[in-house]
């Protein structure tokens, strides 16, 4: 049962080798997609080529479906998978600034690595800039500490915010993705260069879209969340203490102290 | 130079499987921006070790005697560099150049790359992750903040794309 590392299948030294392997595949596919080229990357912001959105959304959906199906079949313990905590205000501001940095510099952090190794000087300069930005952040961190920890909502998922089970969320994400693919391809046809845009048969696309929606729909029906909810049911005593009955909430993992503490930067 | 890139949907499926593999084996997703923060920390530590230890943010990367560079994400980034190099090599895409649009000079492009890098490095620390570590990884787990973050990246970029159009078009 996964995650293998958390169940002690291998040690730290091996995990670093695995990181190298996973990174190799990561860098390889990014370069395959043309993400070492900033003109290809930024074309999305001028409505000419939505490869960035297609790759990102597809990867998110494949992984999301994979995680939920693995969980449903009992192959992975999602409780042991590191979930990124939500600090809503720094994430909003950070996202906006990262977006500006993306269109200004032409890269996001990982793609700049791929660009640098394919010989682009601007990619290397971007990396140097990122290091300077990190140092700048650390140096003024005492002033930012309050903002950095503001808007703490704990480790919450979309399911907690909308109070919908994750199967239905997954189904909605699949529907949204298919809608987004259809829409951006319309936009590409209007503004993009038809010679460089990827060609694909409409039949394959329709089949893939259908499969995606079907996989989402199955999840919505089987509802993987009930696996977590099950043990809680016998504990409810209906005759008394009604007001004390509460469902297990994922938000219970509030930070242990107000002071600044970073467990391990498992995120990014 | 070969400009034929792979189909983005196919790449997306493969990337999703790589991410799933990472979750299944390690219990965590991909990422890269923290590795640059770690390299920067290692540099500061080399020049001014006391200063690095005293700083509340740098010090999170300095634990015990271990170098800040011995970290999962650093190895991931080294792997990504090798993987990108391999792919560029087999497609004959390795070429020393400054990538830019036709109507911008090399020096302005490099200054903008530096500025964009500084903003990105700063923002990634503020948001606790970048496009891969926060948006991609978190969104696949349906983390609320990661979805908000992802839409904010697009919002920030689309809102300012007009001012940088000469750099790319």
């Amino acid at each position: 049962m996964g995650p293998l590392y958390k169940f002690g299948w291998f040690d730290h030294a091996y995990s670093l080798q695995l990181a190298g392997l996973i990174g190799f595949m990561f860098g390889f596919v990014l370069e395959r997609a043309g993400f070492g080229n900033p003109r290809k990357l930024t074309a999305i912001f001028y409505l000419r080529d939505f490869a960035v959105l297609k790759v990102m959304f597809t990867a998110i959906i494949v992984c999301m479906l994979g995680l939920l199906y693995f969980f449903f079949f009992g192959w992975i313990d999602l409780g042991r998978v590191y979930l990124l905590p939500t600090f809503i205000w720094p994430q909003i501001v950070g996202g906006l600034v990262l977006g500006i940095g993306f269109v200004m510099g032409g890269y996001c952090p990982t793609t700049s690595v791929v660009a640098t190794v394919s010989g682009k000087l601007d990619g290397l300069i971007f990396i140097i800039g990122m290091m300077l930005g990190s140092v700048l952040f650390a140096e003024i961190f005492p002033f930012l500490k309050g903002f950095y920890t503001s808007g703490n909502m704990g480790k919450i998922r979309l399911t907690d915010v909308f109070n919908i089970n994750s199967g239905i969320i997954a189904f909605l994400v699949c529907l949204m993705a298919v809608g987004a693919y259809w829409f951006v391809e319309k936009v590409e046809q209007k503004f993009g260069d038809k010679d460089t845009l990827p060609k694909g048969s409409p039949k394959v696309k329709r089949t893939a879209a259908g499969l995606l929606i079907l996989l989402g729909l199955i999840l919505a029906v089987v509802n993987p969340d009930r696996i977590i909810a099950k043990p809680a049911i016998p504990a409810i005593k209906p005759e008394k203490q009604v007001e004390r009955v509460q469902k297990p909430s994922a938000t219970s993992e509030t930070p242990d102290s107000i002071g600044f503490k970073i467990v391990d930067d498992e995120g990014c | 130079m070969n400009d034929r890139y792979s189909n983005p949907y196919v790449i997306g499926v493969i990337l999703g499987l790589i991410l799933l593999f990472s979750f299944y084996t390690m219990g965590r997703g991909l990422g890269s921006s923290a590795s640059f923060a770690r390299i920067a920390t290692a540099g500061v530590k080399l020049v001014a070790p006391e200063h690095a230890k005293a700083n509340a943010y740098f010090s999170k990367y300095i634990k015990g005697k271990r170098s800040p560079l011995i970290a999962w994400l650093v190895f991931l980034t080294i792997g990504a560099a090798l993987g990108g190099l391999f792919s560029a090599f087999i497609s004959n895409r390795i070429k020393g150049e400054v990538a830019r649009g036709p109507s911008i000079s090399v020096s302005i492009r490099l200054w903008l790359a530096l500025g964009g890098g500084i903003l990105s490095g700063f923002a990634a620390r503020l948001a606790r992750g970048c496009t891969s570590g926060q948006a991609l990884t978190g969104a696949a787990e349906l983390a609320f903040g990661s979805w908000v973050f992802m839409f904010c990246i697009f919002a920030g970029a689309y809102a300012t794309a007009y001012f940088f159009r000469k750099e790319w078009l």
Side-chain angles (χ1 to χ4, degrees):
Chain A
M1 188 167 169
L4 303 181
Y5 183 60
K6 304 278 165 97
F7 283 96
W9 280 50
F10 45 80
D11 60 4
H12 186 249
Y14 183 78
S15 82
L16 295 180
Q17 295 166 36
L18 199 61
L21 174 73
I22 294 171
F24 186 90
M25 297 190 290
F26 187 28
F28 182 81
V29 296
L30 287 180
E31 210 289 329
R32 289 281 93 192
F35 288 0
N37 177 352
R39 295 186 74 190
K40 170 95 176 166
L41 286 164
T42 53
I44 182 175
F45 304 122
Y46 302 98
L47 310 179
R48 281 157 167 76
D49 182 345
F50 283 82
V52 171
L53 182 139
K54 291 175 189 170
V55 168
M56 224 171 144
F57 253 44
T58 311
I60 288 169
I61 284 167
V62 167
C63 184
M64 171 195 75
L65 290 173
L67 284 175
L68 289 174
Y69 274 99
F70 273 35
F71 178 66
F72 182 69
F73 292 126
W75 297 341
I76 193 166
D77 179 0
L78 284 186
R80 289 175 199 244
V81 171
Y82 178 73
L83 182 64
L84 290 152
T86 296
F87 290 83
I88 199 73
W89 299 118
Q91 278 176 318
I92 288 174
V93 175
L96 293 171
V97 176
L98 194 81
I100 299 169
F102 193 164
V103 72
M104 183 195 268
Y107 303 105
C108 61
T110 320
T111 50
S112 68
V113 176
V114 175
T116 304
V117 296
S118 48
K120 295 192 176 59
L121 181 61
D122 48 319
L124 182 64
I125 300 286
F126 187 91
I127 290 180
I128 294 169
M130 277 196 299
M131 292 179 192
L132 292 177
S134 305
V135 173
L136 178 69
F137 179 82
E139 293 299 341
I140 63 170
F141 186 72
F143 303 102
L144 288 170
K145 207 155 143 184
F147 184 66
Y148 183 73
T149 47
S150 64
N152 184 0
M153 298 167 77
K155 296 189 173 183
I156 56 164
R157 302 163 77 218
L158 292 177
T159 46
D160 307 310
V161 176
F162 296 110
N163 217 356
I164 305 174
N165 78 53
S166 51
I168 292 175
I169 292 275
F171 176 57
L172 293 176
V173 170
C174 289
L175 282 182
M176 189 181 77
V178 171
Y181 297 151
W182 175 83
F183 178 72
V184 299
E185 292 206 356
K186 286 270 177 242
V187 176
E188 273 177 351
Q189 288 302 319
K190 197 166 184 315
F191 296 101
D193 174 10
K194 285 172 189 66
D195 295 332
T196 58
L197 286 173
K199 293 161 188 68
S201 82
K203 207 171 164 186
V204 174
K205 282 182 185 167
R206 274 199 294 271
T207 314
L211 182 68
L212 206 59
I213 291 174
L214 180 70
L215 286 171
L217 193 60
I218 293 171
L219 276 180
V221 173
V222 300
N223 182 18
D225 289 356
R226 72 196 157 92
I227 299 171
I228 319 170
K230 224 180 268 171
I233 295 164
I236 297 170
K237 292 196 173 70
E239 66 271 21
K240 53 181 175 182
Q241 294 171 333
V242 183
E243 72 279 8
R244 281 185 57 200
V245 173
Q246 48 186 337
K247 53 187 180 246
S249 96
T251 54
S252 59
E253 285 188 57
T254 41
D256 20 16
S257 64
I258 307 149
F260 179 65
K261 179 172 172 254
I262 297 171
V263 184
D264 193 9
D265 63 321
E266 287 206 63
C268 185
Chain B
M1 183 138 141
N2 186 354
D3 270 332
R4 278 268 158 252
Y5 298 124
S6 305
N7 185 298
Y9 295 116
V10 177
I11 292 293
V13 171
I14 299 170
L15 182 56
L17 293 174
I18 295 169
L19 184 56
L20 183 61
F21 177 75
S22 179
F23 276 126
Y24 182 71
T25 52
M26 289 301 303
R28 61 187 290 175
L30 306 169
S32 76
S33 67
S35 50
F36 298 109
R38 280 176 178 278
I39 295 168
T41 307
V44 173
K45 196 182 164 213
L46 202 67
V47 181
E50 294 308 314
H51 178 71
K53 277 207 187 83
N55 183 291
Y57 199 80
F58 282 136
S59 59
K60 83 159 178 159
Y61 293 125
I62 308 168
K63 276 183 195 143
K65 288 197 181 109
R66 190 182 274 172
S67 158
L69 296 179
I70 305 297
W72 202 80
L73 285 173
V74 176
F75 281 73
L76 188 99
T77 305
I78 294 169
L82 294 174
L85 182 68
F86 179 65
S87 170
F89 177 73
I90 59 174
S91 308
N92 206 13
R93 283 201 281 254
I94 298 178
K95 187 185 163 206
E97 62 173 334
V98 175
R100 64 191 202 278
S103 49
I104 190 171
S105 73
V106 169
S107 70
I108 296 176
R109 168 69 189 112
L110 290 181
W111 281 112
L112 287 172
L114 185 69
I118 292 173
L119 288 181
S120 301
F122 188 89
R125 291 303 91 224
L126 186 62
R128 297 170 171 78
C130 58
T131 345
S132 43
Q134 180 66 257
L136 185 67
T137 302
E141 297 176 286
L142 301 176
F144 175 62
S146 303
W147 279 86
V148 174
F149 174 73
M150 183 166 65
F151 285 112
C152 284
I153 296 176
F154 284 110
Y158 274 106
T160 50
Y162 177 81
F163 305 105
F164 299 106
R165 66 194 187 284
K166 290 224 171 79
E167 193 180 359
W168 306 115
L169 300 180

